[in-house]
Amino acid sequence: MNSQIDLSKMTPAHAAQYANASKRIPWATQTNAKRYDGELIPSRPPFLKRAQGCRVWDLDGKSYIDYKASLGPIILGYQYPEVDDAVRKQMQDGVLFSMASPLELETAEAILGTLGWADKIRYMKTGADVCASCLRLARSKTGRNHFLTSGYHGYQDWFALAWPNNGIPTDLHKFSHAIEYGDLQAVDEVFDSVGHELAAVIVSPVEWHKAPSPKFLQKLRDKCDAYGTVLIFDEVLTGFRLAKGGAAEYFGVTPDLSAYAKAIANGYPLSAYAGKSEFMNALDRTIITTTYAGECLSLAAAKATMDVLRREPVNEHIAALGQTLRDGFDSIFQESSFPARTEGLPHAPTIQFAGNEEEQSAARIKLFDQLYQRGIFANKEWFITYSHQERDIAETLEKFRDSVKSIV
C-alpha cells in the first residue's frame, strides 16, 4: 500500500476496503485516473458503490452530484432506462457468438448515421485500442513510419514514450514527433523536417484546459493534404459530446480517420474507429482483430445511445448547463476574489488556478476537498450529462460558493 495514504482520513468502511484492495490490486483500482493517491484529497471517497442519473453513492451511502461521469463515458446518465433496457433485451439472445452478429451492422448504421461524415467503422474495446488501430491503418495505407502527435492517446508504446520508467524500447522515439496543442509553428517545423515520412497526424481536437483552436485543426488538415499524411482525430472524449458528429462537425474540419470511445455506449465497454472508405479499406491488407470487439451487450447499448442522441437535444442540453456552471464559477471567483477562472468549452469546463504548478495543485485540492464534503463529486473536467438538470446546477453552485467562502 502507498506509504503516503493515511487511512485515518477515510471513513472506516473506505479504510478497510482500501487496505484489503491494496494487498491484491496495484493502486487499489484498475484506472490511473481513479487512484485515491493521484491527488490526496481527504474527503474524496476512494470507492463508489452505486450510481443513478447524475448522482453517485459511496460505501457509506453518501450521495454526490457527479461531474466525473466515469471519466467521460456517461453522456446520458447512469442507468439510463432506454440504454439499459436494450442491454437486458439483448442479454436474452446472448453476449458473444461464434460468428458475426447482425447487431454489428445495425449498430454501425446507427453510429455512422449519427456521425454523418464517415463511411465505415470497426469496433474495439478501449480508447487506447482505437487510437493504436488508426495509427496502424495510417502506416499500412502510406507505407511510412513517422507520426506527429498532440495530446494523450492511451498507454500503448507509441503514445507513452515520454512517460517515466515506461518499459518501451528507446528506438521508437525517432518515429514520434510530439507537439503542444495549438502550436502552429511546431506544425510547420515537423512537416518541414519529416513531412514526407509522416504516416499520420493524431491529435486530440480539444484540450479541455485550453481555448479550442480551429485554426490549428485546419492547418493540420491542410498540411496532411499537401504531404499525403493521414489526419486522425482522437475523439475518445470529444466524440458525441461536442456534437452528434463530434469535433468534425463542431469545428468543420473533417479527418480521414477518427477514434471514438467514452460516450459511444453510455458507459458500456465499446470503442470504434471510423473513417472514409479510402482509409478504412486498408483493413483489406492488414489485420487488426480482437475477440471481444463484437460483444453484443455493448453494441446494443451503443445503438440505443445513438437513438437518443439523434432524437433528443442532448448536446444542446449539455452545452447550456455547462455554460451556466461555468458562468457561475467565474461569478463566484470574482465576487470572492478567489484566484481562479474557467477555461475551455462549456461541454466540460475546467478551472484554471493561479500560480505555479505546485500552487495550482494545492488550491485545487483545498477547494475540491470542500466540495466533496458538501456532496459535489468534482473533477478537473466538469462533465455534464443529459441527466443533470437546472436544479442540480443550482445546488452545485450554492455549494461551490460555500466551499470558496470557507477557504478565502
Side-chain angles (χ1 to χ4, degrees):
M1 186 168 56
N2 191 315
S3 59
Q4 291 183 309
I5 302 300
D6 183 355
L7 295 181
S8 68
K9 294 184 180 297
M10 301 179 189
T11 67
H14 284 281
Q17 182 70 27
Y18 194 91
N20 291 329
S22 298
K23 295 174 183 177
R24 296 293 191 180
I25 302 172
W27 306 344
T29 183
Q30 311 305 314
T31 308
N32 187 54
K34 295 182 182 181
R35 292 172 66 171
Y36 179 80
D37 62 352
E39 279 189 307
L40 294 173
I41 303 174
S43 60
R44 180 171 61 188
F47 302 99
L48 295 173
K49 188 175 183 179
R50 187 168 70 90
Q52 187 168 24
C54 69
R55 294 180 182 261
V56 294
W57 285 262
D58 68 13
L59 301 186
D60 299 307
K62 181 177 178 179
S63 170
Y64 304 79
I65 301 176
D66 180 44
Y67 291 96
K68 198 164 188 172
S70 297
L71 309 182
I74 308 301
I75 191 169
L76 300 179
Y78 295 101
Q79 296 192 58
Y80 198 80
E82 187 168 335
V83 176
D84 286 4
D85 286 348
V87 172
R88 281 188 282 266
K89 182 179 179 181
Q90 176 59 40
M91 197 176 295
Q92 296 174 7
D93 288 333
V95 176
L96 193 67
F97 307 129
S98 296
M99 295 295 281
S101 163
L103 185 57
E104 295 179 30
L105 175 58
E106 294 171 20
T107 304
E109 296 285 12
I111 296 173
L112 292 172
T114 303
L115 290 175
W117 69 270
D119 300 321
K120 295 185 177 182
I121 190 169
R122 280 278 295 273
Y123 309 118
M124 296 291 277
K125 277 297 168 193
T126 73
D129 291 341
V130 284
C131 287
S133 296
C134 286
L135 181 57
R136 174 82 69 81
L137 276 189
R139 283 177 164 153
S140 176
K141 175 76 167 63
T142 63
R144 302 172 183 177
N145 294 322
H146 290 252
F147 68 101
L148 184 155
T149 177
S150 176
Y152 169 78
H153 310 297
Y155 70 89
Q156 273 91 343
D157 287 4
W158 297 112
F159 307 127
L161 292 167
W163 295 8
N165 305 312
N166 56 29
I168 300 170
T170 56
D171 289 348
L172 300 185
H173 282 269
K174 64 185 178 184
F175 298 115
S176 174
H177 307 272
I179 67 171
E180 291 294 320
Y181 180 87
D183 191 336
L184 301 179
Q185 181 178 342
V187 174
D188 287 330
E189 290 173 352
V190 173
F191 272 93
D192 288 345
S193 175
V194 294
H196 293 291
E197 299 177 76
L198 285 177
V201 167
I202 180 166
V203 58
S204 299
V206 170
E207 293 288 356
W208 296 112
H209 62 286
K210 296 182 178 181
S213 178
K215 187 176 181 180
F216 176 64
L217 300 179
Q218 187 60 56
K219 187 178 184 69
L220 291 173
R221 176 70 279 174
D222 293 342
K223 286 287 189 179
C224 286
D225 288 341
Y227 283 83
T229 300
V230 180
L231 179 59
I232 302 166
F233 277 2
D234 175 353
E235 291 230 50
V236 167
L237 270 170
T238 55
F240 312 106
R241 177 167 288 275
L242 296 186
K244 293 179 181 65
E249 176 186 339
Y250 190 83
F251 293 111
V253 179
T254 304
D256 301 311
L257 296 168
S258 273
Y260 300 97
K262 304 287 187 183
I264 196 169
N266 197 47
Y268 286 87
L270 185 70
S271 62
Y273 53 107
K276 298 294 185 180
S277 295
E278 175 187 355
F279 303 95
M280 291 296 289
N281 286 348
L283 285 164
D284 291 339
R285 62 180 186 222
T286 191
I287 295 175
I288 300 174
T289 182
T290 186
T291 298
Y292 295 105
E295 176 263 306
C296 291
L297 301 187
S298 297
L299 293 178
K303 183 175 180 293
T305 299
M306 295 302 118
D307 290 344
V308 177
L309 287 173
R310 291 197 305 274
R311 187 183 69 241
E312 306 273 349
V314 175
N315 304 111
E316 295 82 357
H317 178 88
I318 287 172
L321 291 192
Q323 189 63 55
T324 300
L325 191 70
R326 181 178 177 179
D327 290 344
F329 286 171
D330 280 329
S331 177
I332 293 167
F333 291 147
Q334 292 170 12
E335 71 186 36
S336 61
S337 298
F338 189 87
R341 59 180 173 78
T342 61
E343 187 62 274
L345 293 171
H347 307 76
T350 66
I351 298 172
Q352 299 299 301
F353 297 90
N356 58 37
E357 187 173 340
E358 184 177 339
E359 292 168 334
Q360 291 173 14
S361 179
R364 180 170 51 251
I365 289 172
K366 187 178 292 186
L367 176 59
F368 281 18
D369 183 48
Q370 292 296 320
L371 289 168
Y372 286 119
Q373 288 183 39
R374 290 170 170 80
I376 303 299
F377 211 93
N379 192 47
K380 289 183 178 180
E381 298 85 23
W382 290 70
F383 290 117
I384 313 293
T385 74
Y386 194 45
S387 290
H388 283 86
Q389 301 299 319
E390 291 182 1
R391 62 182 178 274
D392 301 306
I393 304 301
E395 180 180 343
T396 298
L397 291 174
E398 178 183 355
K399 292 181 176 179
F400 194 92
R401 178 175 282 105
D402 290 341
S403 296
V404 170
K405 284 181 179 180
S406 72
I407 59 179
V408 293

